[in-house]
Amino acid sequence: MMKKTNAARILDRQKISYQLAEYTVDENDLSAEHLAEVSGFPVEKVYKTLVARGDRNGIFVCVIPGAASLDLKKAAKASGNKKVAMVLMKELEPLTGYIRGGCSPLGMKKNYPVFIDESAFELEEIFISAGQRGLQLRLAPADLQKATGAQVVSLT
């Protein structure tokens, strides 16, 4: 039996349907592409959670396709900032409570604004981190939007 994470408990409280899916972690390759390869999850359904800082509005969260790169100009526009940069790796855990490879848009230390790339809504379901390495949440993009209060925008 898999141990539930804070992210899963948040979905439970909101009565949102999801599945937990385990995979083998490779500490040397935490990329979403590698996760898809070792787990058998379709790479186009694996989404990663990135944390950025804007010059005007501070910290925010982006959920984008695992094989894509965040377009910082689009992220700035979506978040109401002029300039945006990724947070430093050493800042990730103090800001979110999560480590690289296990960062979920659900259950962070603070409720940061969340932005989901519009491509997610072309799919019936996506995989996102459940809040620990080796565990993913499988859920509908609309349910993730509901649970996080996210805005749907173009980010890649």
Side-chain angles (χ1 to χ4, degrees), residues 111-130:
N111 285 328
Y112 298 115
V114 177
F115 300 89
I116 301 173
D117 189 70
E118 62 193 9
S119 64
F121 289 81
E122 296 167 9
L123 303 167
E124 284 185 33
E125 63 185 15
I126 60 172
F127 292 86
I128 61 163
S129 176

Side-chain angles (χ1 to χ4, degrees), residues 6-7 10 96-98 104-111:
N6 284 339
I10 287 167
T96 67
Y98 292 127
S104 178
L106 294 159
M108 290 189 176
K109 285 183 173 182
K110 290 185 179 175
N111 285 328

Side-chain angles (χ1 to χ4, degrees), residues 112-155:
Y112 298 115
V114 177
F115 300 89
I116 301 173
D117 189 70
E118 62 193 9
S119 64
F121 289 81
E122 296 167 9
L123 303 167
E124 284 185 33
E125 63 185 15
I126 60 172
F127 292 86
I128 61 163
S129 176
Q132 70 183 46
R133 290 178 181 166
L135 199 58
Q136 292 278 296
L137 291 167
R138 178 184 195 166
L139 76 170
D143 288 337
L144 177 60
Q145 180 185 17
K146 178 182 169 191
T148 59
Q151 292 182 49
V152 179
V153 295
S154 175
L155 292 169

Side-chain angles (χ1 to χ4, degrees), residues 3-156:
K3 184 176 172 266
K4 288 221 173 161
T5 61
N6 284 339
R9 284 190 284 277
I10 287 167
L11 295 173
D12 287 342
R13 278 196 301 273
Q14 294 187 27
K15 297 182 178 15
I16 290 175
S17 176
Y18 67 92
Q19 291 176 313
L20 284 170
E22 286 184 292
Y23 66 95
T24 304
V25 178
D26 179 351
E27 299 287 333
N28 297 315
D29 189 348
L30 297 172
S31 71
E33 294 97 326
H34 185 72
L35 182 159
E37 186 181 313
V38 299
S39 67
F41 306 152
V43 70
E44 65 276 4
K45 291 185 176 185
V46 176
Y47 276 63
K48 59 188 173 188
T49 303
L50 302 175
V51 183
R53 176 181 286 114
D55 62 340
R56 295 180 178 162
N57 299 322
I59 304 297
F60 63 97
V61 178
C62 297
V63 180
I64 67 168
S69 296
L70 180 64
D71 182 322
L72 294 176
K73 286 183 178 168
K74 287 183 177 182
K77 182 179 178 188
S79 62
N81 289 286
K82 198 170 181 95
K83 288 184 183 172
V84 165
M86 300 300 299
V87 299
L88 300 174
M89 203 56 59
K90 66 182 181 184
E91 295 178 290
L92 188 63
E93 190 172 10
L95 286 170
T96 67
Y98 292 127
I99 58 172
R100 180 172 175 256
C103 188
S104 178
L106 294 159
M108 290 189 176
K109 285 183 173 182
K110 290 185 179 175
N111 285 328
Y112 298 115
V114 177
F115 300 89
I116 301 173
D117 189 70
E118 62 193 9
S119 64
F121 289 81
E122 296 167 9
L123 303 167
E124 284 185 33
E125 63 185 15
I126 60 172
F127 292 86
I128 61 163
S129 176
Q132 70 183 46
R133 290 178 181 166
L135 199 58
Q136 292 278 296
L137 291 167
R138 178 184 195 166
L139 76 170
D143 288 337
L144 177 60
Q145 180 185 17
K146 178 182 169 191
T148 59
Q151 292 182 49
V152 179
V153 295
S154 175
L155 292 169
T156 58

